[in-house]
Amino acid sequence: MSGNRSRPLGVATIGYAFMGKAHSQAWRNVASYFDVPAFERTVLVGRDADAVAEAAARYGWAESATDWRSLLSRDDIDIVDICTPGWLHAEMAIAFLEAGKHVLVEKPLANSMTESAAMVAAAEAAAARGVRSMVGFNYRRVPALALARDLIGQGRVGTVRQVRVSYLQDWLADETAPMTWRLRKETAGSGALGDIASHAIDQVQFLLGDTVTDVSGRLHTFVPTRNGPDGPEPVTVDDAAWATLSLAGGAVASVEVSRVALGRKNALTIEVYGSEGSLAFDLERLNELMVLDGTVPVERQGLSRVLVTEPGHPYLDAWWPQGHTIGWEHTFTHQIRDFLTAIDTGVAPSPSFAEGLAVQRVLAAIQESAAAKSSIVTVGSI
Amino acid sequence: MSGNRSRPLGVATIGYAFMGKAHSQAWRNVASYFDVPAFERTVLVGRDADAVAEAAARYGWAESATDWRSLLSRDDIDIVDICTPGWLHAEMAIAFLEAGKHVLVEKPLANSMTESAAMVAAAEAAAARGVRSMVGFNYRRVPALALARDLIGQGRVGTVRQVRVSYLQDWLADETAPMTWRLRKETAGSGALGDIASHAIDQVQFLLGDTVTDVSGRLHTFVPTRNGPDGPEPVTVDDAAWATLSLAGGAVASVEVSRVALGRKNALTIEVYGSEGSLAFDLERLNELMVLDGTVPVERQGLSRVLVTEPGHPYLDAWWPQGHTIGWEHTFTHQIRDFLTAIDTGVAPSPSFAEGLAVQRVLAAIQESAAAKSSIVTVGSI
Amino acid sequence: MSGNRSRPLGVATIGYAFMGKAHSQAWRNVASYFDVPAFERTVLVGRDADAVAEAAARYGWAESATDWRSLLSRDDIDIVDICTPGWLHAEMAIAFLEAGKHVLVEKPLANSMTESAAMVAAAEAAAARGVRSMVGFNYRRVPALALARDLIGQGRVGTVRQVRVSYLQDWLADETAPMTWRLRKETAGSGALGDIASHAIDQVQFLLGDTVTDVSGRLHTFVPTRNGPDGPEPVTVDDAAWATLSLAGGAVASVEVSRVALGRKNALTIEVYGSEGSLAFDLERLNELMVLDGTVPVERQGLSRVLVTEPGHPYLDAWWPQGHTIGWEHTFTHQIRDFLTAIDTGVAPSPSFAEGLAVQRVLAAIQESAAAKSSIVTVGSI
Amino acid sequence: MSGNRSRPLGVATIGYAFMGKAHSQAWRNVASYFDVPAFERTVLVGRDADAVAEAAARYGWAESATDWRSLLSRDDIDIVDICTPGWLHAEMAIAFLEAGKHVLVEKPLANSMTESAAMVAAAEAAAARGVRSMVGFNYRRVPALALARDLIGQGRVGTVRQVRVSYLQDWLADETAPMTWRLRKETAGSGALGDIASHAIDQVQFLLGDTVTDVSGRLHTFVPTRNGPDGPEPVTVDDAAWATLSLAGGAVASVEVSRVALGRKNALTIEVYGSEGSLAFDLERLNELMVLDGTVPVERQGLSRVLVTEPGHPYLDAWWPQGHTIGWEHTFTHQIRDFLTAIDTGVAPSPSFAEGLAVQRVLAAIQESAAAKSSIVTVGSI
């Protein structure tokens, strides 16, 4: 597919809120730093005509549109980047894949297992026709975490045994924070679990290159009622979630997530303990990876703070000299780079929809376990 | 009981290994720093006559003995400090309490629930006669943790919601580390669970002034076989344990402990998230408490590193000027101080045997849950 | 000048290496995040026609050019952003200001005091005609440092007494690193002093809103000879520099900079101690500001880690939700935003050329002191 | 001198305030942990008969006395530990050395160069008769700093180039803190300089095994007047001091000390940058040493947090298992251990009075430089 393209790839992005803004930043900048196939920022899609037109102008898209279906038949659109809420993912992604468009979809893959499975089927069918798809677990593109995966893959921590992941935020710590669609099960599916534990679980599987086989889970809502437009309303999703996970390769991981952990703003922390070394990471300091080499004599052994800004670190040769840090948004630029490269080289991009589904399965198993008094549940194969 | 004593209290300590050495340090120094009733370090007890005699001389005990029962009838012994392995606690403690001796016993209270319950009964009967007893959860006497409890008690973190405790060590990370009695269920009862999760659980109940009502638990042994004197032998206790705990007051706590967390030497970490503030602690930096005041405007809000060395901090006015740190061993000195003060004032010391039993109940429930696929177990009342 | 412009401002940037790349990123993105007057990225200028054409395409400039003088007479150029080495600053900046172009020039202002003074004169003459100029001390636009200045200005640290600034790098720690023009006095002027102490000194004056009045300085070259193209060659600039500074308001600051501090990559650290509070910062963790409020009771007092990502923090409302960090490059985006806003509103931008000159004067005084056995030198008024 | 002693060494300590209390703790505990020659805590000396008698009882000395001269002729006193203010050191130390007593004297060696020189002469004369003397720079016995010296000595950081030392306290940050003898030049000699910069300078010379050859210094008093018993009174010593130091071996060190650095309680921080590695230390976290090995590939290189509690670390095999931290006071126990061992083995203890004098010379040079507009001063040989 690569090389003989007669024109730049046409790109459409659907959604212009938080994620649409972040993805737009990536599309706007990726070609200044990375060697990627030529593309054009053709169209930004949203429901409100005026607002999306203004967003398109602000974020640098050539045009705007309000009907996502209008893209299906457009020959000048090769790639669709779906940044809408989860309940819209399946319909859109499947339609675009069937129409021969490469699709990048924000995480989570979808709100239901049925939809997720249908998306995987569509993705596999499309792949047979050279049409690519990927789900946006952008934290795989944090250089420090990509480095962590490399180090684990090289055996530098030996056999991984124990993994600890937490993702702590505090935007719901204030009990007067109002009711929103995110706190209703019918619209959000789940609370902290689907929103941020999904990142945690994807990281466990990504870093270890392994698969969760069973889980025990617990969910809790600390503030059970919040004020909505019509007065007090029950919160029907979790504020916090806990799980232990068995991995096929023998490791055990714990996951804890929260939206009420006062003082933690975006604290995805990961600790990996192996037989020969260990690693630690905190998303609030995403330019750093703590690395312990267990083969150093114990008198000089300790967790080393590696500033992940060297040219030899993943993605970093494209940016600035050593010591000049990058930010959260750069993960999206790296994601677009990898997606474009995959399209260009014909290699299947990762994380695939199937990998996104694998995360959904673990989340579903945690919910099932939580509903069954935390009893261990085997992660299903649908 | 206080005040009209005609002679100094006579003290006996049983055991002179790790804990006996630490307790001896406390007995040797407490009166130099704290105003405590007069006492004498009368006798150190151990099984090996030569070794215990040498230890008594080294650690500053007036005499040594090999038969603990010989203390029962000695009028010059008022206090017995039991630093033996757990399986000896019940018999000794009950006998001494019945003989009218005040008893301090190392944690865990005992290896079985039956023994623990008998000890509580003996303690309560003795208390009616003015005979005091206490279990040695020394980390209650870390100044930073005593401060944490005070702050929580004052309402400075508001309603506690989420608590995260981990206790990570690495002395079994090396798979060639040999088999010991600590790794056999019949001698040790459990592994990391009883040894270090007991501290974690006591802290949860201590800091919150609350009671664990149900638990879900998981146990795992990462290195299932180790070399013993007669070749490879199965490890029959856990290397690591995980639990989630419900508290009566509505908080939820997680506990994770390990002996294979490479690079963590004695990392008891505690995070407390409340509606108005949060706290964080790490035993490897025991002179520090992180404190977040959620009522400060968010633009200036963050976890503050409080160096807990001020005269106004718990226990610190006895020691050195601000900024001059103390060590792990000082917790035992504080413990002895509190125990002596309780004896002197006639106030029941804490943690009582009943509090020690409460920890044992939680540990037993975790084991029960782990054996039942992590299903939530109600903490028993025996 | 604002409001009634008939067309977007035309922008030219001169230079496309490290700084040109960073400034291009800022020009490309600023309008997506901030409300700034309309502008066009008209032309990128460099000496090598092919290379600058490629850079223009990559970084998003409409055209490229090789002769900077060609811009002087172009009516479609309103702003010139000078990212060339220091020895070219004066000639360019003066010519453009006289031609009525607004000028942003990278730090340091110039390599000599004479040139710097001429630039200030040109800037002041231009300002009288509504033509704006600014020097690019981008670290003033680190949100945490802008917050620090605000807090100091509000009196939150009381009277500032002691300031400690260090800027440590390690790219010359390897003694086999080769000779370059940066290590020859005739081309570079000075070493670590001009390159990074300039940032340190600007921060001292910026944060305190105060002026350095006298200095004592020391310079040292740890690796006096390095291999050049023709064999070993003397290094004629400093690897490291130290200074103490008196400020007009009574504070005393220390500055230490190095290019051989192994393990420090871009560690601009700043500590400010006042009568009522203190602050600490490290550029390697630029999303954080440590804040101590000395009015809190000492038992709960400590340096708080404030994650500077709240909407109420300087510049942050334009970016991402709380906890989502930014990187080093964002300081340039903020700088362009402030420069454009100043042009639009007719307010003189800061730091002005005169402020750049003030930094040069301090650097010159440090060099003079270092040459006079560190004897204190009064900072000149030229 | 060792081995054939017919009775335990008799020890006298003079002074029972802060330092006397800390030294008493060391004498009380050293033999429980270290194999040292037998000794007895014979007498504690102070001016107030009642107070010193109470202190002797509390700290465990057999008797008390008020006249230090009474010790001179006592055959049962072999060692005198001088914990009095500096102005008393010379007279006492010289008298005891001449009387054949081994002498340990607190730092600083003395308040004047003349006294210091006389003490060195007395010490050298005594040494010829087998009588030992040592000055109490106790931070040499922080295990992490002893380890740092070992690592430097082994060449693990290569050639040391740049050293940064600060010692920051805040007990004078409050401008209402009252006048004391410590703030008058005639009683205290100097302020932060003599009190805490002395530690900083001893560490530089100790860690590097090198000698300061020249200095540039600056002194400053931020709060020039404080309330004394008779109203406002001028503060005639420094609140803060700064110096740069050249070392004979080619390194350059900076020293900054303060008593007004709000939030820093006892922050002796040390950074050592060499050609092959670097080290960092903070006394407020004295169980930790940061170690960077520059020979590790840069992608995995960083400052490692080594918890200095391993049996293989200096002094640690005597104490607790790994991960169980020690405190500030332990440095005195180590000091006594080393002093007793030196007496026992006949090896000259270190730091000798001559080493104490070497520190005084550097301090004197800093004062001289500060009085001469910071101009570099060669460190004298008296």
Side-chain angles (χ1 to χ4, degrees):
Chain A
M1 186 153 201
S2 134
N4 56 0
R5 201 175 294 114
S6 57
R7 57 164 180 77
L9 292 157
V11 178
T13 288
I14 311 179
Y16 56 92
F18 180 22
M19 278 302 115
K21 180 179 171 185
H23 283 232
S24 291
Q25 170 80 345
W27 287 111
R28 191 167 53 248
N29 290 308
V30 64
S32 296
Y33 295 94
F34 296 95
D35 289 321
V36 287
F39 68 88
E40 286 177 350
R41 288 172 281 146
T42 308
V43 58
L44 183 67
V45 183
R47 282 172 301 184
D48 180 317
D50 289 346
V52 71
E54 188 194 327
R58 176 173 280 267
Y59 300 149
W61 296 89
E63 49 178 294
S64 64
T66 57
D67 178 11
W68 65 267
R69 290 174 203 280
S70 68
L71 308 178
L72 289 167
S73 56
R74 281 178 65 161
D75 286 344
D76 64 337
I77 301 296
D78 301 285
I79 296 173
V80 181
D81 180 0
I82 302 174
C83 297
T84 62
W87 69 75
L88 294 168
H89 287 182
E91 183 182 8
M92 289 179 175
I94 292 169
F96 286 120
L97 288 169
E98 289 178 350
K101 316 298 189 196
H102 308 295
V103 170
L104 172 63
V105 64
E106 252 304 311
K107 51 70 52 182
L109 189 61
N111 276 11
S112 82
M113 294 299 292
T114 309
E115 287 177 333
S116 297
M119 289 170 77
V120 170
E124 289 175 357
R129 290 175 279 120
V131 177
R132 303 297 164 198
S133 51
M134 191 165 96
V135 60
F137 282 111
N138 59 306
Y139 293 150
R140 293 191 176 199
R141 272 75 191 198
V142 173
L145 291 174
L147 174 63
R149 178 178 158 106
D150 289 349
L151 294 176
I152 293 169
Q154 292 162 18
R156 292 205 170 273
V157 302
T159 303
V160 174
R161 290 166 177 162
Q162 202 163 344
V163 180
R164 287 165 48 75
V165 186
S166 69
Y167 200 153
L168 305 179
Q169 300 181 337
D170 72 358
W171 58 280
L172 289 179
D174 180 355
E175 64 191 357
T176 68
M179 193 68 198
T180 77
W181 69 268
R182 289 181 171 276
L183 306 183
R184 295 184 194 106
K185 191 180 180 66
E186 59 275 22
T187 45
S190 72
L193 182 70
D195 186 22
I196 53 181
S198 54
H199 277 300
I201 288 158
D202 185 61
Q203 278 298 318
V204 170
Q205 300 195 130
F206 166 69
L207 290 173
L208 274 61
D210 202 350
T211 304
V212 176
T213 55
D214 71 47
V215 309
S216 166
R218 187 189 277 245
L219 304 176
H220 194 75
T221 307
F222 290 104
V223 181
T225 306
R226 289 183 185 268
N227 279 320
D230 308 313
E233 194 180 327
V235 173
T236 49
V237 300
D238 55 285
D239 287 335
W242 301 257
T244 54
L245 318 173
S246 301
L247 284 115
V252 179
S254 69
V255 171
E256 180 166 354
V257 300
S258 177
R259 289 165 164 177
V260 300
L262 201 54
R264 307 297 182 185
K265 303 302 178 185
N266 202 27
L268 170 61
T269 70
I270 301 175
E271 296 167 58
V272 176
Y273 298 103
S275 58
E276 307 289 329
S278 56
L279 304 172
F281 172 81
D282 180 350
L283 185 62
E284 291 182 357
R285 290 175 171 170
L286 65 79
N287 292 279
E288 302 178 21
L289 184 69
M290 306 300 292
V291 179
L292 180 138
D293 178 353
T295 66
V296 168
V298 71
E299 287 79 13
R300 303 196 308 274
Q301 192 183 106
L303 276 167
S304 300
R305 173 183 173 265
V306 177
L307 197 60
V308 186
T309 58
E310 297 294 322
H313 285 140
Y315 304 106
L316 263 301
D317 57 347
W319 295 103
W320 315 110
Q322 59 170 13
H324 295 74
T325 58
I326 61 167
W328 168 84
E329 78 201 36
H330 293 68
T331 59
F332 295 97
T333 307
H334 302 162
Q335 179 170 273
I336 295 298
R337 180 262 185 197
D338 288 345
F339 188 51
L340 285 171
T341 301
I343 289 168
D344 197 43
T345 59
V347 173
S350 174
S352 66
F353 282 12
E355 288 174 276
L357 174 61
V359 173
Q360 298 299 99
R361 280 180 184 138
V362 176
L363 296 176
I366 291 172
Q367 281 189 300
E368 189 183 334
S369 171
K373 298 190 65 168
S374 299
S375 191
I376 290 176
V377 166
T378 301
V379 176
S381 51
I382 293 281
Chain B
M1 188 157 197
S2 134
N4 57 359
R5 202 175 294 115
S6 58
R7 57 163 180 77
L9 292 157
V11 178
T13 288
I14 311 178
Y16 55 92
F18 179 23
M19 278 302 115
K21 180 179 172 185
H23 284 231
S24 291
Q25 171 80 347
W27 286 110
R28 191 167 54 247
N29 291 306
V30 66
S32 297
Y33 295 94
F34 296 95
D35 289 321
V36 288
F39 68 88
E40 286 178 349
R41 288 172 281 146
T42 309
V43 58
L44 183 68
V45 183
R47 282 171 302 184
D48 179 318
D50 289 347
V52 73
E54 188 194 326
R58 176 172 280 267
Y59 300 147
W61 296 89
E63 48 178 294
S64 65
T66 57
D67 178 11
W68 64 267
R69 291 173 201 279
S70 68
L71 309 177
L72 288 166
S73 57
R74 282 179 65 161
D75 288 343
D76 64 338
I77 301 296
D78 301 286
I79 295 172
V80 182
D81 180 0
I82 303 174
C83 298
T84 61
W87 69 77
L88 295 166
H89 288 182
E91 183 182 9
M92 289 180 174
I94 292 168
F96 285 119
L97 287 170
E98 290 177 349
K101 315 299 190 196
H102 307 294
V103 171
L104 171 63
V105 64
E106 252 304 311
K107 50 73 43 182
L109 190 62
N111 276 10
S112 81
M113 294 299 293
T114 310
E115 287 177 333
S116 297
M119 290 171 75
V120 171
E124 289 175 357
R129 290 175 279 121
V131 177
R132 303 296 164 197
S133 50
M134 190 164 94
V135 61
F137 282 111
N138 60 306
Y139 293 151
R140 292 191 177 199
R141 272 75 190 197
V142 173
L145 290 174
L147 174 63
R149 179 178 157 104
D150 289 349
L151 295 176
I152 293 170
Q154 292 163 16
R156 292 204 171 276
V157 303
T159 303
V160 175
R161 291 166 177 162
Q162 202 164 344
V163 180
R164 287 165 49 76
V165 186
S166 69
Y167 200 154
L168 304 180
Q169 300 181 335
D170 72 357
W171 57 280
L172 289 179
D174 180 356
E175 65 190 358
T176 69
M179 194 67 200
T180 78
W181 69 267
R182 289 182 173 276
L183 307 184
R184 294 184 194 106
K185 190 178 181 67
E186 58 275 23
T187 45
S190 72
L193 182 70
D195 186 21
I196 52 180
S198 55
H199 278 298
I201 287 159
D202 185 61
Q203 278 298 319
V204 171
Q205 300 195 133
F206 167 70
L207 290 174
L208 275 59
D210 202 351
T211 305
V212 175
T213 55
D214 71 47
V215 309
S216 166
R218 188 189 276 246
L219 304 175
H220 195 75
T221 308
F222 290 104
V223 182
T225 306
R226 289 182 184 270
N227 279 321
D230 307 315
E233 193 181 327
V235 174
T236 49
V237 300
D238 56 286
D239 286 335
W242 300 257
T244 54
L245 318 173
S246 301
L247 284 114
V252 179
S254 68
V255 170
E256 180 165 354
V257 300
S258 178
R259 290 164 163 177
V260 299
L262 200 55
R264 306 297 181 184
K265 303 302 177 186
N266 202 28
L268 170 61
T269 69
I270 301 175
E271 296 166 60
V272 176
Y273 298 101
S275 57
E276 306 290 329
S278 56
L279 304 171
F281 172 80
D282 180 351
L283 185 62
E284 291 183 358
R285 290 174 170 171
L286 65 79
N287 292 280
E288 303 178 21
L289 183 69
M290 306 301 293
V291 178
L292 179 138
D293 178 352
T295 66
V296 168
V298 71
E299 286 78 14
R300 303 196 308 274
Q301 191 183 105
L303 277 167
S304 299
R305 172 183 172 264
V306 177
L307 198 60
V308 187
T309 58
E310 298 294 322
H313 284 140
Y315 304 106
L316 263 300
D317 58 346
W319 295 103
W320 316 108
Q322 59 170 13
H324 295 75
T325 58
I326 62 168
W328 167 84
E329 78 202 36
H330 292 68
T331 59
F332 295 96
T333 308
H334 302 163
Q335 180 171 271
I336 295 297
R337 179 262 183 197
D338 288 345
F339 189 51
L340 285 170
T341 300
I343 289 169
D344 197 43
T345 58
V347 173
S350 174
S352 66
F353 283 12
E355 289 174 276
L357 174 60
V359 172
Q360 299 299 100
R361 280 181 185 137
V362 177
L363 296 176
I366 292 172
Q367 281 189 301
E368 188 183 333
S369 171
K373 298 191 64 168
S374 300
S375 192
I376 290 176
V377 167
T378 301
V379 176
S381 51
I382 290 280
Chain C
M1 190 161 198
S2 138
N4 56 1
R5 204 174 293 113
S6 57
R7 56 162 182 78
L9 293 157
V11 178
T13 288
I14 311 178
Y16 56 92
F18 180 23
M19 278 302 115
K21 180 179 171 184
H23 283 230
S24 290
Q25 171 79 347
W27 286 110
R28 191 167 53 247
N29 290 305
V30 65
S32 297
Y33 296 95
F34 296 94
D35 288 320
V36 288
F39 67 88
E40 287 177 350
R41 289 172 280 146
T42 309
V43 58
L44 184 67
V45 182
R47 282 171 301 184
D48 181 316
D50 289 345
V52 73
E54 187 193 326
R58 173 173 282 267
Y59 299 147
W61 295 89
E63 49 177 294
S64 64
T66 57
D67 178 10
W68 64 267
R69 291 175 201 280
S70 68
L71 308 178
L72 289 167
S73 56
R74 281 179 66 162
D75 287 342
D76 63 338
I77 301 295
D78 302 285
I79 296 172
V80 181
D81 180 0
I82 302 174
C83 297
T84 61
W87 69 76
L88 295 167
H89 287 182
E91 183 182 9
M92 288 179 175
I94 293 168
F96 286 119
L97 288 168
E98 290 177 349
K101 316 298 188 194
H102 308 295
V103 170
L104 172 63
V105 65
E106 253 305 310
K107 49 74 44 183
L109 190 62
N111 276 10
S112 82
M113 294 299 291
T114 309
E115 286 176 332
S116 297
M119 288 170 77
V120 170
E124 290 174 355
R129 290 175 279 120
V131 177
R132 304 296 164 197
S133 50
M134 191 165 96
V135 60
F137 283 111
N138 59 305
Y139 294 151
R140 293 190 176 200
R141 271 76 190 197
V142 173
L145 290 173
L147 174 64
R149 178 178 159 106
D150 288 349
L151 294 176
I152 293 169
Q154 293 162 17
R156 293 205 170 274
V157 303
T159 303
V160 175
R161 291 164 176 163
Q162 202 163 346
V163 180
R164 287 166 49 74
V165 186
S166 69
Y167 201 155
L168 305 180
Q169 300 181 337
D170 72 358
W171 59 279
L172 289 179
D174 178 357
E175 66 191 356
T176 68
M179 194 68 199
T180 76
W181 69 268
R182 289 182 172 276
L183 306 183
R184 294 183 194 107
K185 192 180 180 66
E186 58 274 24
T187 44
S190 71
L193 182 69
D195 185 21
I196 52 180
S198 54
H199 278 298
I201 287 158
D202 184 62
Q203 277 298 319
V204 170
Q205 300 195 133
F206 166 69
L207 290 174
L208 275 60
D210 202 351
T211 305
V212 175
T213 55
D214 71 47
V215 309
S216 166
R218 188 189 276 246
L219 304 175
H220 195 76
T221 307
F222 290 104
V223 182
T225 306
R226 290 183 185 268
N227 278 320
D230 308 314
E233 193 181 326
V235 173
T236 49
V237 299
D238 55 286
D239 287 333
W242 300 256
T244 54
L245 318 173
S246 301
L247 283 114
V252 179
S254 68
V255 171
E256 179 164 355
V257 299
S258 178
R259 290 165 164 177
V260 300
L262 201 54
R264 307 296 182 186
K265 303 302 175 183
N266 201 27
L268 169 61
T269 69
I270 302 174
E271 295 166 60
V272 176
Y273 298 102
S275 59
E276 306 289 331
S278 55
L279 304 172
F281 172 81
D282 180 350
L283 185 62
E284 291 183 358
R285 290 175 171 170
L286 65 79
N287 292 280
E288 303 177 22
L289 183 69
M290 306 301 292
V291 179
L292 180 138
D293 178 353
T295 66
V296 169
V298 72
E299 287 78 13
R300 301 196 308 275
Q301 191 183 104
L303 276 166
S304 300
R305 172 184 172 264
V306 177
L307 197 60
V308 187
T309 58
E310 298 294 324
H313 284 139
Y315 303 106
L316 263 300
D317 56 347
W319 295 103
W320 315 110
Q322 58 170 12
H324 295 75
T325 59
I326 62 168
W328 168 83
E329 78 200 36
H330 292 68
T331 59
F332 295 96
T333 307
H334 302 163
Q335 179 170 273
I336 295 298
R337 179 262 185 195
D338 289 345
F339 188 51
L340 284 171
T341 300
I343 289 169
D344 196 43
T345 58
V347 174
S350 173
S352 66
F353 282 12
E355 289 173 276
L357 174 62
V359 172
Q360 298 300 100
R361 281 180 183 138
V362 176
L363 295 176
I366 291 172
Q367 281 189 301
E368 189 184 334
S369 171
K373 298 190 66 171
S374 300
S375 192
I376 289 175
V377 166
T378 301
V379 176
S381 50
I382 291 280
Chain D
M1 187 156 198
S2 139
N4 57 0
R5 203 174 292 112
S6 57
R7 55 162 182 79
L9 293 158
V11 178
T13 288
I14 310 178
Y16 55 92
F18 179 24
M19 279 301 115
K21 180 179 172 186
H23 283 232
S24 291
Q25 170 79 346
W27 286 110
R28 190 166 56 248
N29 291 305
V30 64
S32 296
Y33 296 94
F34 296 95
D35 289 320
V36 287
F39 67 88
E40 286 176 350
R41 288 171 282 147
T42 309
V43 58
L44 184 67
V45 183
R47 282 171 302 184
D48 180 317
D50 290 345
V52 72
E54 188 194 326
R58 175 173 280 268
Y59 301 147
W61 296 89
E63 50 178 291
S64 64
T66 57
D67 178 11
W68 65 266
R69 290 174 202 281
S70 68
L71 308 178
L72 287 167
S73 56
R74 281 178 65 160
D75 286 342
D76 64 339
I77 301 296
D78 303 285
I79 296 172
V80 181
D81 180 0
I82 303 174
C83 298
T84 61
W87 68 76
L88 295 167
H89 287 182
E91 183 182 9
M92 288 179 175
I94 292 167
F96 286 119
L97 287 169
E98 289 178 350
K101 316 297 190 197
H102 308 295
V103 170
L104 172 62
V105 65
E106 252 306 311
K107 49 76 40 184
L109 190 61
N111 276 9
S112 81
M113 294 300 292
T114 310
E115 287 177 333
S116 297
M119 288 170 77
V120 170
E124 289 174 357
R129 291 174 280 119
V131 178
R132 304 296 165 197
S133 51
M134 191 165 95
V135 61
F137 282 111
N138 59 306
Y139 293 150
R140 293 190 176 201
R141 271 76 190 195
V142 173
L145 290 174
L147 174 63
R149 178 178 158 105
D150 288 349
L151 294 176
I152 293 169
Q154 292 162 18
R156 292 204 171 274
V157 304
T159 303
V160 175
R161 291 167 176 161
Q162 202 164 343
V163 180
R164 287 165 49 76
V165 186
S166 68
Y167 201 154
L168 304 180
Q169 300 181 337
D170 71 358
W171 58 280
L172 289 179
D174 179 357
E175 66 191 357
T176 69
M179 194 67 200
T180 78
W181 68 266
R182 289 182 172 276
L183 306 184
R184 294 183 195 106
K185 190 179 181 67
E186 57 276 23
T187 45
S190 71
L193 182 70
D195 185 21
I196 51 179
S198 56
H199 278 299
I201 288 157
D202 185 61
Q203 277 298 318
V204 170
Q205 299 195 134
F206 167 69
L207 290 174
L208 274 59
D210 202 351
T211 305
V212 175
T213 56
D214 72 47
V215 310
S216 166
R218 187 189 277 245
L219 304 175
H220 195 75
T221 307
F222 290 103
V223 182
T225 307
R226 289 182 184 269
N227 279 321
D230 307 316
E233 193 179 327
V235 174
T236 49
V237 300
D238 55 287
D239 288 333
W242 299 257
T244 54
L245 318 173
S246 302
L247 284 115
V252 179
S254 68
V255 171
E256 179 164 355
V257 300
S258 178
R259 289 164 165 178
V260 299
L262 200 54
R264 307 296 181 185
K265 303 302 176 184
N266 201 27
L268 170 60
T269 69
I270 302 175
E271 296 166 60
V272 176
Y273 298 102
S275 58
E276 307 288 330
S278 55
L279 303 172
F281 172 81
D282 180 351
L283 185 62
E284 291 183 357
R285 291 175 170 169
L286 66 77
N287 292 279
E288 302 176 24
L289 183 68
M290 305 302 291
V291 179
L292 180 138
D293 178 352
T295 67
V296 168
V298 73
E299 286 80 12
R300 302 197 307 275
Q301 193 183 104
L303 277 166
S304 300
R305 172 183 173 262
V306 177
L307 197 62
V308 187
T309 59
E310 298 293 323
H313 285 140
Y315 304 106
L316 264 298
D317 57 347
W319 295 103
W320 315 109
Q322 60 170 11
H324 295 75
T325 58
I326 63 168
W328 168 84
E329 78 201 37
H330 293 69
T331 59
F332 295 96
T333 308
H334 302 163
Q335 180 170 273
I336 295 297
R337 180 261 185 196
D338 288 345
F339 188 50
L340 285 171
T341 299
I343 289 168
D344 197 43
T345 59
V347 174
S350 173
S352 66
F353 282 13
E355 289 173 275
L357 174 60
V359 172
Q360 298 300 99
R361 280 180 184 137
V362 176
L363 296 176
I366 291 171
Q367 281 189 300
E368 188 182 335
S369 171
K373 298 191 64 169
S374 301
S375 193
I376 289 176
V377 167
T378 301
V379 176
S381 49
I382 293 279

